[in-house]
Amino acid sequence: MSPVRIGSSSTANMSRRQSDRPSIRNCHRKWPSAKHLLTALDWFLTFFTLSPLCVLFWRGLWQYIDCLALFPRAHISSWVSTAVGHCVCVVLTSSQLCLSGLFTDSDVPVLVRLFLSRIYTAFYAFGLVNQWRGVWQLLDFYLGKSLFSSVGVVVGGMFFLGVLRSLRNIMAPPLIVTTDVLDVSYTRSSTMLKSLEAKRNRSVCVVDVAVSVVVVSSLVVFVWRGIWTALDTVLFPESASRSGWTSLAIGYSVVLLSYGLQFEAAAFSRRRESTLVRIAFEDVFISVASFGAINVWRGIWLLADTYVYPDDYLLSNWLTALVGLFGSVLLFAGNTILARGVTLDGDSKDGSGCLFRTDYLRKIFKKRHAPRWTHEDGCVWDDRKLEVNVNGSRRCGAFRDSEAGKRLRTAVGTGDDLLTVVTERETVV
């Protein structure tokens, strides 16, 4: 698309020339059918390609570590996995800014950056699987697998996550998809206090990373393990295949229903004036959707145990791990297998806490075809970096207090009270 030029003389001149060029008001509505098609394709790929690949990788690596039997006692192996996982995740989270600089350095050849970034993804995934495996199996060893203990672990985990305003971190594919774009977001792993981004003092950063990686992540494992074990107890425990198909049907049904209700839920949350009510509503909605995601994971996991070389356990694990990893990387969705970062409940007041970030193709096409707007004096506004929201209609723009922002307000004829700035990450379609 060729740049659209916006005059700087007056609103009247702008109106006289509207017939000679595309309208700003309709710039984002040019291809509504293509947008809806990409949304449908994103949902389809998330359901039946990206999410299964993610589950297969986790299932294969997790059970391959079980096969190694490096330690004679199971609980020792669990403690070692916990220690290894926590150490890897803490180190990579703490060094994310340095790694981001390496992966985005234009002086480094693109192929080298691609190779190193994928090694980073595989190593981080190895640490995360060990972290989850260790905490999960320690709960099995010390608390058992009874229905009562499983429910207690779920209640306890959700309670403390709610206190920390971190309950939404129990989400996983098919509720979240992350693309492998080599920019500053590739290694971004947000923490509770966001101390790394703010470059606070070292002690604050250490505490922030430790709480985010060790405490919050472990509580998320509590919730997942409790629900999973409870389903093992009540959902056809005598037949793995029957239990897997049932869990898969329940999971996809709940997730599909959540997909359909997410925009209504976001609108309802946006209208709540009380922060506490908004957070409580979003937590309930996210918890129900995550229950569906856990069922999807459990169903795919059990079906892989049943149908993927059940007589050769080692080959089955190797195959699913490699297919999941390389399939995700080749589709530029390797970061989807990383359950990293902490997002606070109620962090946004626009209802986006109820929206699922599954923009896979939409994000790729947006990166490639984002419109650009220029001014007569050569000032460039890039839609990939910033957008403005005028009366609920998204438009390209600039910062409110900048000269470019003033010219945009003059062009569209709006005042400061109607013009709000949002980032691309916060604008989820």
Side-chain angles (χ1 to χ4, degrees):
M1 177 183 291
S2 60
V4 180
R5 303 183 66 81
I6 300 178
S8 60
S9 56
S10 65
T11 306
N13 293 334
M14 176 69 188
S15 301
R16 284 196 298 269
R17 287 181 288 181
Q18 281 183 346
S19 59
D20 300 330
R21 61 163 178 241
S23 170
I24 297 179
R25 185 177 299 277
N26 298 322
C27 67
H28 285 284
R29 301 179 184 178
K30 188 174 181 180
W31 303 105
S33 58
K35 174 182 175 181
H36 296 158
L37 177 61
L38 287 177
T39 301
L41 287 175
D42 277 348
W43 288 13
F44 180 84
L45 289 174
T46 301
F47 269 51
F48 302 111
T49 304
L50 301 179
S51 297
L53 287 175
C54 180
V55 180
L56 289 176
F57 168 78
W58 275 70
R59 179 254 180 192
L61 182 57
W62 185 307
Q63 296 185 164
Y64 175 72
I65 297 174
D66 290 341
C67 293
L68 293 179
L70 297 178
F71 302 94
R73 298 182 180 180
H75 70 282
I76 297 179
S77 176
S78 301
W79 278 111
V80 172
S81 277
T82 304
V84 170
H86 284 329
C87 290
V88 171
C89 294
V90 167
V91 170
L92 292 181
T93 301
S94 303
S95 58
Q96 59 180 286
L97 298 179
C98 298
L99 293 172
S100 176
L102 173 63
F103 297 154
T104 58
D105 188 356
S106 58
D107 294 333
V108 180
V110 176
L111 292 179
V112 175
R113 285 187 284 154
L114 285 173
F115 176 77
L116 293 178
S117 62
R118 273 49 183 183
I119 295 297
Y120 159 85
T121 298
F123 191 58
Y124 206 136
F126 172 78
L128 283 168
V129 171
N130 271 280
Q131 182 188 41
W132 276 62
R133 174 184 176 272
V135 176
W136 190 297
Q137 293 186 353
L138 287 176
L139 291 172
D140 288 346
F141 182 79
Y142 290 107
L143 299 180
K145 299 182 180 181
S146 66
L147 181 61
F148 178 77
S149 66
S150 300
V151 173
V153 168
V154 173
V155 173
M158 296 185 71
F159 172 78
F160 286 108
L161 285 173
V163 171
L164 295 173
R165 289 182 56 193
S166 303
L167 188 59
R168 66 176 293 104
N169 295 286
I170 64 175
M171 289 196 303
L175 304 179
I176 299 175
V177 170
T178 309
T179 56
D180 295 344
V181 180
L182 282 181
D183 56 16
V184 294
S185 64
Y186 188 89
T187 61
R188 182 179 297 160
S189 181
S190 57
T191 55
M192 290 191 66
L193 302 179
K194 296 180 173 56
S195 58
L196 297 176
E197 294 88 339
K199 298 181 180 180
R200 299 180 180 178
N201 63 72
R202 184 173 300 178
S203 58
V204 174
C205 292
V206 170
V207 174
D208 187 20
V209 171
V211 172
S212 302
V213 173
V214 178
V215 178
V216 175
S217 297
S218 297
L219 290 174
V220 172
V221 180
F222 277 38
V223 176
W224 271 67
R225 181 263 179 192
I227 295 176
W228 193 302
T229 307
L231 291 171
D232 288 341
T233 305
V234 302
L235 205 61
F236 303 110
E238 71 284 352
S239 173
S241 61
R242 191 177 180 184
S243 181
W245 283 114
T246 305
S247 191
L248 194 65
I250 294 174
Y252 275 132
S253 299
V254 173
V255 171
L256 185 60
L257 181 62
S258 302
Y259 268 46
L261 295 176
Q262 60 177 314
F263 301 107
E264 294 296 329
F268 180 84
S269 175
R270 188 168 53 249
R271 293 193 297 266
R272 300 309 98 191
E273 297 181 358
S274 171
T275 303
L276 184 61
V277 173
R278 186 179 71 255
I279 292 176
F281 172 77
E282 291 182 358
D283 283 349
V284 171
F285 181 76
I286 292 300
S287 298
V288 173
S290 299
F291 174 77
I294 295 172
N295 271 277
V296 170
W297 276 63
R298 180 178 178 274
I300 296 174
W301 195 299
L302 291 180
L303 292 177
D305 287 343
T306 304
Y307 297 110
V308 181
Y309 294 104
D311 298 330
D312 195 335
Y313 195 64
L314 188 61
L315 175 62
S316 176
N317 294 327
W318 263 110
L319 182 62
T320 54
L322 293 178
V323 168
L325 177 62
F326 286 103
S328 299
V329 169
L330 291 176
L331 291 174
F332 284 86
N335 271 334
T336 302
I337 66 179
L338 303 182
R340 62 181 182 182
V342 175
T343 305
L344 296 181
D345 301 336
D347 207 17
S348 57
K349 299 180 181 180
D350 57 356
S352 60
C354 295
L355 300 178
F356 308 128
R357 296 176 183 172
T358 57
D359 47 341
Y360 172 63
L361 292 177
R362 284 170 290 173
K363 188 172 182 180
I364 294 175
F365 277 91
K366 188 173 184 179
K367 290 286 184 182
R368 294 181 58 187
H369 302 294
R372 299 182 66 179
W373 303 80
T374 62
H375 190 266
E376 292 175 352
D377 59 8
C379 178
V380 177
W381 308 334
D382 196 334
D383 186 43
R384 289 173 294 182
K385 297 180 180 177
L386 187 67
E387 292 175 348
V388 296
N389 190 311
V390 183
N391 287 337
S393 177
R394 295 188 307 161
R395 304 171 189 175
C396 312
F399 287 104
R400 177 195 301 275
D401 297 328
S402 66
E403 290 298 323
K406 295 177 183 178
R407 288 193 293 270
L408 178 66
R409 291 199 297 275
T410 301
V412 300
T414 60
D416 288 344
D417 55 290
L418 297 179
L419 188 63
T420 57
V421 177
V422 295
T423 64
E424 181 187 356
R425 180 181 61 85
E426 295 169 343
T427 306
V428 184
V429 180

